């Protein structure tokens, strides 16, 4: 039988009739230990206004209470629209076990311009039956974001360290957006004797952020956070930066432009030291910065080599040691994406099931933000983003060949591509095993293929 191969760039739903047919997904297969549900819909608006170049779409599925900072994100999809106009189709993949029959779930969609300003948005509630493999939400009508909200989102993000909590603030006029513990809150400016005081509400509790230059005070209800100190921004210097972190006590190091910043987080206080970046000293196995910090010596040594975050297991390319006087702090540094880009990865287990032929599923993360590989019967191509907080693969931008194979291979391919779209986190073991995970134990286990 002659097979015809062609690539499809998906502007709407993934158009692989065999690999992504919802009817196929209903057929049980031993390669899927945990059933997934696909949620689709279409977004549009009434105004005759074209979306600008560089626009992106973010769609999330969460528990109904969006104000709850602990409300989990059950599914997420980010789409580079690449010139697409409304109507826009989206496709979310969630673990069926994470949904409850008869309960309503919040679907939020936001279109941003290339500067990150929200243009159109919607938040609606829907009952999703976890017993089905496909939920079609139909047409959802977007509304235009007000200029005030857009101006706030376009403002530069300023990072603050409040004890063990990292806070991001965006200021615009008499409003601000505060990102705290995974949730974003909108505050408005209130009267104050000094500084800029912003107040709002979070999960029914009063929220206050009192900014005084490079310092701030943060309170949520009866909780008063440790003193907040402003971090070095990426725009301070030449735009490039290097970061490292560790624990016991918690600390972070950032090198941006010609400055070095060390943050040490104690039980009740946060200390931030900033010094002019000393000359780099080359070592046999890395490099070092040596300087005086107050009345003690400070040495920062960076040694290339796999380093795993002690708490999350996220891999980093460097081991970093900070010695301040008699105190030594060890941790990890560099960009985690550099570890992913070291070569080709072979899938050894999918959703808890070991693969008899692991060479049939592979992944390669490329420096240009593209991820590609073999999906069993076909090959795929998509976009990805990875940092210290997680990993996501854009299912909407996915492309794939269209070859037909045996039904069990096609079922496994559909399960693999669905799992890729649900990935939110990545971690690594000491032996180099890479694990990609998503909501409710969606899991892809990989091993590097020796060159």
């Amino acid at each position: 039988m002659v097979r015809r191969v062609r690539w499809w760039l998906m502007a709407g739903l993934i158009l692989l009739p065999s690999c992504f047919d919802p009817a196929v997904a209903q057929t049980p297969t031993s390669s899927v230990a945990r059933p997934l549900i696909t949620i689709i819909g279409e977004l549009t608006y009434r105004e005759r206004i074209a979306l600008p170049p560089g626009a992106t779409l973010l769609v999330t599925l969460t528990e109904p209470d969006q104000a709850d900072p602990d409300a989990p994100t059950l599914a997420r999809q980010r789409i580079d629209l690449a010139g697409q106009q409304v109507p826009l189709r989206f496709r979310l993949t969630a673990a069926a076990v994470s949904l409850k029959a008869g309960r309503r779930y919040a679907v939020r969609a936001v279109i941003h311009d290339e500067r990150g300003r929200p243009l159109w948005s919607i938040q609606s509630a829907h009952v999703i039956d976890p017993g089905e493999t496909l939920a079609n939400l139909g047409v959802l009508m977007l509304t235009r974001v007000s200029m005030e909200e857009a101006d706030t989102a376009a403002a530069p993000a300023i990072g603050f360290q409040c004890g063990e909590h990292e806070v991001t603030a965006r200021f615009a006029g008499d409003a601000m957006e505060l990102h705290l513990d995974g949730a974003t809150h909108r505050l408005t400016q209130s009267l104050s004797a000094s500084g800029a005081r912003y107040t709002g509400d979070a999960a029914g509790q009063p929220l206050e952020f009192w900014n005084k230059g490079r310092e701030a005070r943060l309170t949520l209800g009866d909780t008063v956070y440790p003193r907040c100190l402003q971090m070095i921004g990426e725009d301070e210097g030449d735009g490039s930066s290097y970061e490292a972190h560790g624990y016991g006590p918690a600390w972070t190091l950032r090198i941006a432009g010609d400055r070095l910043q060390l943050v040490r987080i104690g039980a009740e206080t946060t200390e931030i030291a900033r010094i002019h970046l000393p000359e780099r000293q080359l070592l046999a196995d890395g490099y070092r910065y040596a300087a005086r910090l107050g009345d003690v010596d400070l040495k920062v040594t960076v040694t290339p080599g796999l380093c795993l975050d002690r708490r999350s297991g996220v891999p980093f390319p460097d081991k970093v040691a900070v010695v301040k006087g008699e105190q030594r702090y060890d941790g990890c540094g560099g960009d985690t994406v550099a570890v992913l880009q070291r070569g080709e990865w072979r899938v050894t287990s999918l959703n808890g099931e070991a693969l008899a032929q692991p060479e049939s599923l592979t992944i390669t993360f490329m420096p240009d933000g593209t991820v590609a590989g073999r999906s069993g019967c076909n090959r795929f191509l998509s976009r990805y983003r990875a940092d210290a907080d997680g990993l996501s693969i854009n299912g909407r931008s996915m492309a794939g060949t269209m070859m037909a194979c045996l039904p069990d291979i096609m079922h496994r391919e559909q399960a693999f591509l669905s799992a890729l779209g649900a990935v939110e986190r990545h971690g690594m073991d000491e032996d180099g095993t890479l694990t990609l995970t998503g909501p409710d134990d969606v899991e892809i286990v990989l091993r590097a293929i020796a060159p």
Side-chain angles (χ1 to χ4, degrees):
M1 179 178 65
V2 178
R3 295 178 175 176
R4 294 187 302 167
V5 181
R6 57 179 179 173
W7 289 88
W8 286 79
L9 291 174
M10 283 169 261
L13 294 174
I14 299 177
L15 304 178
L16 302 185
S18 296
C19 300
F20 296 94
D21 190 339
V24 173
Q26 296 176 8
T27 305
T29 170
S30 60
S31 66
V32 183
R34 302 173 182 88
L36 301 175
I37 181 171
T38 299
I39 303 161
I40 62 174
E42 191 172 85
L43 299 163
T44 189
Y45 49 78
R46 294 186 177 89
E47 291 85 349
R48 297 175 62 86
I49 301 175
L51 294 174
T56 60
L57 169 64
L58 177 64
V59 185
T60 57
L61 177 72
T62 68
E63 297 286 352
D65 188 1
Q66 286 275 12
D68 181 1
D70 296 323
T73 298
L74 306 176
R76 180 179 185 274
Q77 184 185 27
R78 182 180 177 86
I79 305 167
D80 295 324
L81 295 178
Q84 296 179 55
Q85 300 295 327
V86 294
L88 302 170
R89 296 174 181 172
F90 64 86
R91 176 178 180 272
L92 300 172
T93 302
V97 71
S98 66
L99 305 176
K100 296 180 181 179
R103 185 168 186 181
R104 297 170 72 84
Y105 291 88
V107 174
R108 184 170 189 259
V110 184
I111 298 176
H112 298 87
D113 67 10
E114 62 181 351
R115 295 173 57 189
R117 295 178 297 186
L119 302 176
W120 306 86
S121 70
I122 184 176
Q123 181 171 310
S124 56
H126 304 267
V127 175
I128 300 173
D129 186 354
E132 300 292 333
T133 58
L134 179 68
N136 190 342
L137 305 185
V139 178
L140 306 180
M141 194 65 64
L142 296 159
T143 57
R144 197 170 185 182
V145 176
S146 69
M147 186 61 67
E148 180 185 7
E149 293 175 313
D151 287 344
T152 302
I158 301 175
F160 290 84
Q161 192 78 42
C162 308
E164 294 187 352
H165 299 265
E166 292 186 8
V167 175
T168 301
R170 295 179 184 272
F171 302 92
D174 60 354
M176 71 166 291
E177 279 187 355
L178 183 71
H179 188 76
L180 169 66
D181 293 339
T184 300
H185 310 281
R186 185 171 179 81
L187 310 180
T188 55
Q189 191 166 5
S190 302
L191 293 176
S192 64
S194 62
R197 177 171 166 261
Y198 298 85
T199 58
D201 181 87
Q205 299 186 79
L207 177 64
E208 179 183 88
F209 187 82
W210 202 327
N211 183 38
K212 299 181 179 182
R214 287 189 172 269
E215 297 186 10
R217 188 181 71 182
L218 174 65
T219 59
L220 175 60
D222 295 330
T223 302
V224 179
Y225 287 76
R227 184 171 57 125
C228 301
L229 300 176
Q230 184 177 331
M231 305 287 286
I232 292 178
E234 290 188 1
D235 57 345
E236 299 184 52
D238 60 3
S240 62
S241 64
Y242 181 90
E243 294 187 6
H245 68 277
Y247 311 100
W251 61 270
T252 61
L253 172 80
R254 186 170 189 184
I255 298 172
D258 61 352
R259 276 178 282 180
L260 182 151
Q261 173 179 271
L262 176 64
V263 181
R264 181 182 178 278
I265 303 169
E268 298 180 353
T269 61
T270 299
E271 300 175 359
I272 293 186
R274 298 182 180 91
I275 62 173
H276 185 81
L277 183 66
E279 184 178 352
R280 178 188 295 191
Q281 304 172 1
L282 295 180
L283 306 175
D285 56 352
Y287 58 91
R288 173 181 295 159
Y289 296 103
R292 292 286 292 178
L293 183 57
D295 56 355
V296 299
D297 290 328
L298 174 69
K299 293 182 180 180
V300 177
T301 303
V302 179
T303 306
L306 180 64
C307 184
L308 304 182
D309 183 274
R310 232 171 63 190
R311 295 184 178 178
S312 66
V314 171
F316 292 86
D318 300 327
K319 299 176 182 177
V320 178
V322 178
V323 178
K324 177 187 173 186
E326 301 296 324
Q327 299 172 316
R328 178 185 173 100
Y329 311 121
D330 290 290
C332 301
D335 192 347
T336 181
V337 75
V339 179
L340 300 177
Q341 295 171 357
R342 287 179 175 174
E344 188 176 17
W345 298 89
R346 177 180 295 154
V347 179
T348 61
S349 175
L350 175 62
N351 292 341
E353 295 287 334
L355 300 184
Q357 296 179 314
E359 66 278 358
S360 64
L361 302 180
T362 64
I363 300 177
T364 301
F365 299 93
M366 289 173 276
D368 64 352
T370 301
V371 58
R374 296 191 294 273
S375 55
C377 182
N378 293 278
R379 298 189 66 85
F380 73 93
L381 181 73
S382 187
R383 303 287 298 175
Y384 77 96
R385 298 181 66 180
D387 54 33
D389 297 321
L391 167 70
S392 63
I393 296 175
N394 192 336
R396 185 59 176 266
S397 69
M398 193 172 289
T401 57
M402 288 187 63
M403 294 194 298
C405 295
L406 295 175
D408 61 335
I409 297 177
M410 301 297 282
H411 294 330
R412 185 181 62 187
E413 181 169 74
Q414 193 276 337
F416 173 58
L417 294 173
S418 294
L420 278 180
V423 167
E424 293 181 348
R425 296 172 298 277
H426 67 298
M428 185 174 284
D429 296 335
E430 293 287 350
D431 63 358
T433 299
L434 176 64
T435 303
L436 315 182
T437 57
D440 293 287
D441 299 325
V442 170
E443 181 184 80
I444 305 173
V445 181
L446 307 100
R447 291 285 299 176
I449 299 177

